[in-house]
Amino acid sequence: MSIGPDGTLLPARFTGLCLTALPLVLCVPVAAQAAQEPVAAPAAPPATEPVIEFSADEVTYENEVDLVTAQGRVRMSRDGNYLAADKVSWDRRSGRVLAEGNVVIMTPQGDKLVSDKVDLTDTLRDGAVENLLIVLEGGGRIAAERGSRTGDVTQLENAVYTACPVVTAAGCPKNPSWKITATRVTHDRASGRIRFNGGRLTVLGVPLPLLPIFSIGDGSGEGGFSGALVPGIRVDSNNGLEIDFPYYWRIDKNRDLTITPHIYTGALPALETRWRHLTSKGAYQLGAFVTYGDIPDPDMVDLTPEDKDGFRGFFEGNGRFQLDPFWTVTGSLRAATDKTVARQYDLTRDDRLRSFVSAERISLDSYVAIEGWAFQGLRSTDKQGRIPIALPAVDARVRLDDPVLGGKVELQANSLAILRLDGQDTQRAFASARWDMRRLTRMGQELTFTAFARADAYHTDNSEETVVDIYRGQDGWQFRGIGALAADLKWPLIGQLWGGSQRLTPRVQLVLTPPTENLDIPNEDARAVDLEDSNLFALNRFPGYDRWEDGSRVTYGLEWAFDRPKFSVDAVIGQSYRLTNEPVLFPDGTGLTDRFSDIVGRTRIRFGRLVDVTHRYRVDKDNLAVRRNELDLTVGTELTYAQVGYLRLNRDISPTVEDLRDKEELRLAGRWQILPYWSVFGSTVLDLSDEEEDPLNIADGFEPVRHRLGFTYEDDCLELGVAWKRDYERIGEFRKGSTFSINFALKGIGR
């Protein structure tokens, strides 16, 4: 390098120097004069001064005023604070650092400040600036006329804040969907809080008033902050106008509580709370909704007004804890004081509340689950005393590492106790072993051999209280042995077709099983049986353990798959034939009562990403009547689409078998994006069942179940919408009716 006549270093770039020692580097004569003076006794070494690393195209030092000037691509950093500018002047006497021209400052937390001129101290942290833009690490932006920073606190005047992008994907400027303007903005980086004085919210160009003083989180990941959340507004035919005022209380980094009062014009107020807690082993949350008011009679029984008023509540909680790499504990609690509180206040649409606790151990070759289950029925016909409680339910499985006779062996042990306050009680236990061996022949066939054995023990009390005979069983102890041998052959044939590839797979399965005792054993978990493509080749086509399909049979079917660019077809069809004439357990209408079963199949066709249709069916083997007809169709893109769902079950089953009732239903849904970010959506469900299909159904062949209609605006930082919902559900004297709701959410904003 060289030194110019005016003391300028030309054209060198310095990096990693201590700026406080820079004059000693530049002023060589001063250092020489000091060397001629007598050497003093050694002193203690001075404390290490903070280092400012810098680089620049040109550095000038003015000895008279103790001023250092760096120009041309100046880069400086100290204690994690980074500065880039065209020119930086440092007054060593006052400690003032003046940065000019394309100034960018980065903090250790990731916030970025952009301006043309910044006045700082030599810590590169504190200072003042005019006409600045701050880009927060959480994604928000603040533009202001002037500002100053002291420590972690930044004070801004006449500022605008938004968490929305201000440029398009092509880099062109655009107006943010929402912004907050304020006369004064205070950003505390240590707490992650942004405070507004004299603020006003503008949404899609429409100004809205705000509180004189309020604050939000900056989205920096520091966690939530205690304070009020955005209120909600709804109107429905039962409660009138509803306004809720949620308040969020951040107790600690891993615990918080949300309290939401609900005010109604047509009902008494309600209070909702939700507690969340993250622990070292897992997390859980608890919620409650409580109120006082009129309780509709689900059984249509006239009560006195005193009997119909009372405390109403809905309680829920769930959690999951990982105790060690193998053991996991999961739990869920849901309960209501009456059958209609959840519907009236739109807490859930479920017609049955489920509570459970489960401890599971999962490893590569074993599984153990210890569980307990309880249910609460919310339908008008539900009798709580007859709804079972499963406690305990134990299931253990292990897969042997070493092959046995060339096949894999899996062992299972299971026990279950079912209790009722008013009805049949059942306890069962069984142990089973299954052996599977898979082989490929030289011709490409896939051959699977299976051997299965199981031993059961049952104990039953109060079986006479079960109304349906085929579910009842016998009181006392019952024992049963189950065995089966099976062989399954698949032969995939692959070739070219119509510019694509096809795969044709004939499949044949032989199952041999001796007569099995079933009727003396109660049926608790194998009731909703129906032949379909998913269980056609199952070893046992009953859905649970309490019933076993005995009698040898042959099942045959055909799978076909065709693929070409932007078009594919996937289809399966099959039937089974029973080899014996012995009576069967399946109720009439399930498609499995005769030697030949009904014909079942599924076809799925896809045209690129625009059309996806799936059809499932079951055809009566005797008269080709369609016993199951299910269609699911989706047409369109992710933004604009139409969906059609149709289901008809025409099984002609006795109405006393409540788990297999016939029905006919039509579901329609769609979404239309009319403009960028603006869309209209709607859906409807229609019950097409009549008395001929289901004598227990009160529908007249065209009964609406629910409708939904609304419009919404949604981009990457704003969601705004209005929706109408009409629910025709009836629980005794309760009618749900219509509900109007307003949805408003500012994305990217912290609590």
Side-chain angles (χ1 to χ4, degrees):
M1 68 180 177
S2 61
I3 302 178
D6 56 354
T8 302
L9 297 180
L10 303 173
R13 289 181 61 82
F14 285 84
T15 60
L17 296 179
C18 177
L19 191 57
T20 56
L22 185 60
L24 300 181
V25 178
L26 300 179
C27 303
V28 180
V30 176
Q33 180 181 356
Q36 297 175 358
E37 297 178 357
V39 178
T48 303
E49 299 186 39
V51 175
I52 300 180
E53 296 183 349
F54 85 102
S55 66
D57 292 338
E58 187 176 289
V59 178
T60 302
Y61 175 66
E62 299 180 32
N63 189 35
E64 296 80 4
V65 293
D66 209 2
L67 178 67
V68 179
T69 302
Q71 301 186 69
R73 294 180 296 175
V74 183
R75 305 293 183 264
M76 305 177 66
S77 67
R78 176 176 178 178
D79 299 331
N81 294 280
Y82 174 83
L83 181 147
D86 294 337
K87 179 181 178 181
V88 174
S89 301
W90 177 49
D91 189 336
R92 294 187 64 246
R93 297 177 180 175
S94 64
R96 178 190 180 194
V97 177
L98 180 63
E100 300 175 279
N102 300 314
V103 181
V104 177
I105 298 177
M106 292 286 295
T107 68
Q109 295 81 12
D111 297 342
K112 181 169 67 174
L113 182 148
V114 180
S115 182
D116 289 331
K117 186 176 181 181
V118 178
D119 195 342
L120 299 169
T121 65
D122 55 8
T123 62
L124 301 186
R125 291 185 51 179
D126 305 337
V129 63
E130 295 185 359
N131 297 324
L132 73 152
L133 170 65
I134 300 177
V135 181
L136 303 178
E137 183 271 338
R141 292 169 172 82
I142 307 177
E145 290 185 358
R146 64 186 61 86
S148 62
R149 186 172 73 168
T150 303
D152 291 321
V153 179
T154 302
Q155 298 281 351
L156 304 169
E157 298 181 10
N158 297 328
V160 179
Y161 169 81
T162 183
C164 303
V166 294
V167 295
T168 64
C172 300
K174 71 170 185 177
N175 291 324
S177 302
W178 65 267
K179 61 183 179 181
I180 300 175
T181 58
T183 57
R184 178 179 293 274
V185 176
T186 303
H187 178 215
D188 188 343
R189 192 61 183 79
S191 65
R193 202 71 176 159
I194 303 176
R195 178 187 176 96
F196 298 89
N197 293 70
R200 183 178 61 184
L201 174 66
T202 301
V203 178
L204 300 179
V206 179
L208 301 174
L210 288 175
L211 296 175
I213 300 176
F214 69 99
S215 61
I216 62 174
D218 62 4
S220 61
E222 298 292 337
F225 303 90
S226 299
L229 304 180
V230 178
I233 301 176
R234 291 157 39 98
V235 178
D236 68 42
S237 54
N238 287 285
N239 304 319
L241 174 65
E242 173 191 356
I243 303 179
D244 60 69
F245 303 93
Y247 183 85
Y248 176 79
W249 180 20
R250 185 178 185 240
I251 300 173
D252 204 344
K253 290 185 177 180
N254 63 332
R255 291 175 294 171
D256 59 40
L257 176 67
T258 303
I259 303 174
T260 307
H262 296 261
I263 307 299
Y264 308 94
T265 60
L268 293 176
L271 181 65
E272 182 179 7
T273 62
R274 182 164 299 275
W275 165 271
R276 302 187 303 175
H277 188 190
L278 176 65
T279 71
S280 60
K281 296 292 186 180
Y284 70 95
Q285 62 177 344
L286 301 172
F289 181 95
V290 294
T291 186
Y292 184 92
D294 179 66
I295 304 175
D297 180 16
D299 300 318
M300 296 292 290
V301 178
D302 291 332
L303 301 176
T304 63
E306 291 77 14
D307 293 330
K308 297 179 67 175
D309 289 338
F311 169 79
R312 310 185 72 189
F314 180 83
F315 309 93
E316 60 180 340
N318 58 75
R320 182 180 179 89
F321 300 90
Q322 191 74 40
L323 304 184
D324 60 31
F326 300 102
W327 280 100
T328 302
V329 176
T330 307
S332 176
L333 167 68
R334 304 182 78 198
T337 56
D338 58 82
K339 293 183 177 181
T340 60
V341 62
R343 297 290 200 283
Q344 179 172 345
Y345 296 97
D346 265 342
L347 305 176
T348 178
R349 286 193 49 83
D350 296 339
D351 60 3
R352 182 171 297 174
L353 301 181
R354 181 186 67 174
S355 300
F356 75 93
V357 60
S358 172
E360 292 179 298
R361 186 188 188 277
I362 303 176
S363 66
L364 292 177
D365 53 8
S366 65
Y367 172 79
V368 177
I370 305 172
E371 301 175 323
W373 299 78
F375 305 90
Q376 180 181 0
L378 301 183
R379 296 176 297 183
S380 59
T381 56
D382 288 337
K383 304 298 182 183
Q384 189 60 39
R386 295 184 176 272
I387 296 179
I389 300 173
L391 182 70
V394 181
D395 188 62
R397 308 183 189 204
V398 61
R399 185 171 53 200
L400 302 184
D401 293 333
D402 299 328
V404 177
L405 299 177
K408 287 289 187 180
V409 174
E410 181 178 304
L411 306 177
Q412 180 183 8
N414 181 284
S415 69
L416 173 66
I418 293 181
L419 309 174
R420 291 180 175 87
L421 300 178
D422 182 16
Q424 177 176 280
D425 297 335
T426 303
Q427 298 84 42
R428 78 163 184 229
F430 71 76
S432 68
R434 176 167 177 157
W435 172 84
D436 290 284
M437 183 179 67
R438 177 177 175 269
R439 292 290 184 268
L440 295 177
T441 69
R442 294 183 178 180
M443 299 182 64
Q445 295 101 337
E446 180 184 347
L447 187 59
T448 303
F449 296 99
T450 301
F452 180 80
R454 198 177 90 191
D456 299 348
Y458 279 79
H459 184 269
T460 306
D461 293 314
N462 304 321
S463 61
E464 70 280 357
E465 298 189 25
T466 299
V467 177
V468 182
D469 292 340
I470 61 175
Y471 299 157
R472 182 173 296 167
Q474 299 292 330
D475 282 352
W477 286 98
Q478 305 294 333
F479 301 94
R480 177 175 62 178
I482 295 173
L485 297 174
D488 194 320
L489 176 65
K490 297 180 183 179
W491 194 356
L493 304 172
I494 302 175
Q496 301 295 319
L497 179 67
W498 301 328
S501 62
Q502 67 166 334
R503 184 179 68 255
L504 185 66
T505 308
R507 183 176 181 182
V508 179
Q509 181 195 57
L510 173 64
V511 178
L512 303 176
T513 180
T516 304
E517 183 62 45
N518 279 291
L519 294 180
D520 291 340
I521 292 175
N523 184 0
E524 298 281 6
D525 66 358
R527 299 182 177 185
V529 58
D530 196 8
L531 180 64
E532 54 188 22
D533 64 283
S534 61
N535 65 359
L536 176 63
F537 290 93
L539 201 61
N540 178 33
R541 289 180 287 199
F542 281 100
Y545 295 113
D546 291 340
R547 289 290 180 265
W548 177 263
E549 183 182 0
D550 57 359
S552 301
R553 66 184 183 272
V554 175
T555 305
Y556 43 88
L558 188 67
E559 300 176 5
W560 183 62
F562 172 71
D563 290 281
R564 62 170 298 170
K566 298 183 180 181
F567 178 76
S568 65
V569 179
D570 185 7
V572 60
I573 189 172
Q575 187 182 33
S576 65
Y577 174 73
R578 190 175 300 277
L579 300 178
T580 61
N581 282 320
E582 297 178 2
V584 296
L585 295 170
F586 298 102
D588 292 335
T590 58
L592 292 165
T593 52
D594 297 331
R595 299 190 66 178
F596 280 99
S597 75
D598 286 350
I599 302 169
V600 295
R602 170 186 48 80
T603 303
R604 183 180 184 185
I605 302 175
R606 285 175 287 181
F607 293 91
R609 298 183 178 180
L610 294 179
V611 179
D612 190 341
V613 56
T614 300
H615 181 222
R616 294 179 176 86
Y617 56 90
R618 175 159 69 88
V619 178
D620 194 302
K621 63 183 185 308
D622 296 323
N623 55 16
L624 300 183
V626 180
R627 298 303 181 188
R628 180 188 185 96
N629 191 13
E630 185 176 3
L631 177 71
D632 289 292
L633 170 65
T634 300
V635 179
T637 64
E638 294 182 356
L639 300 178
T640 299
Y641 59 84
Q643 293 179 330
V644 178
Y646 174 77
L647 172 64
R648 187 185 185 195
L649 301 176
N650 183 25
R651 296 173 291 195
D652 196 21
I653 297 178
S654 170
T656 60
V657 185
E658 60 182 1
D659 300 279
L660 299 172
R661 292 167 58 182
D662 288 338
K663 66 182 300 184
E664 187 175 6
E665 184 179 83
L666 177 65
R667 304 179 305 275
L668 302 174
R671 184 179 187 271
W672 177 30
Q673 185 172 356
I674 54 180
L675 292 171
Y677 310 122
W678 290 94
S679 60
V680 177
F681 61 89
S683 64
T684 185
V685 178
L686 302 173
D687 187 355
L688 305 181
S689 306
D690 55 24
E691 186 177 352
E692 182 179 352
E693 291 174 315
D694 184 2
L696 301 180
N697 197 321
I698 62 175
D700 59 2
F702 192 87
E703 186 79 16
V705 178
R706 59 181 174 270
H707 306 314
R708 189 183 181 203
L709 182 65
F711 72 90
T712 182
Y713 174 93
E714 183 174 6
D715 58 20
D716 49 7
C717 66
L718 174 65
E719 184 176 351
L720 175 65
V722 177
W724 165 75
K725 180 174 60 177
R726 175 68 185 272
D727 198 321
Y728 295 85
E729 183 180 18
R730 292 171 289 186
I731 303 178
E733 65 179 6
F734 173 76
R735 302 291 187 273
K736 177 56 183 171
S738 296
T739 301
F740 294 88
S741 60
I742 298 176
N743 182 34
F744 177 70
L746 302 179
K747 300 180 182 179
I749 193 170
R751 299 197 199 201

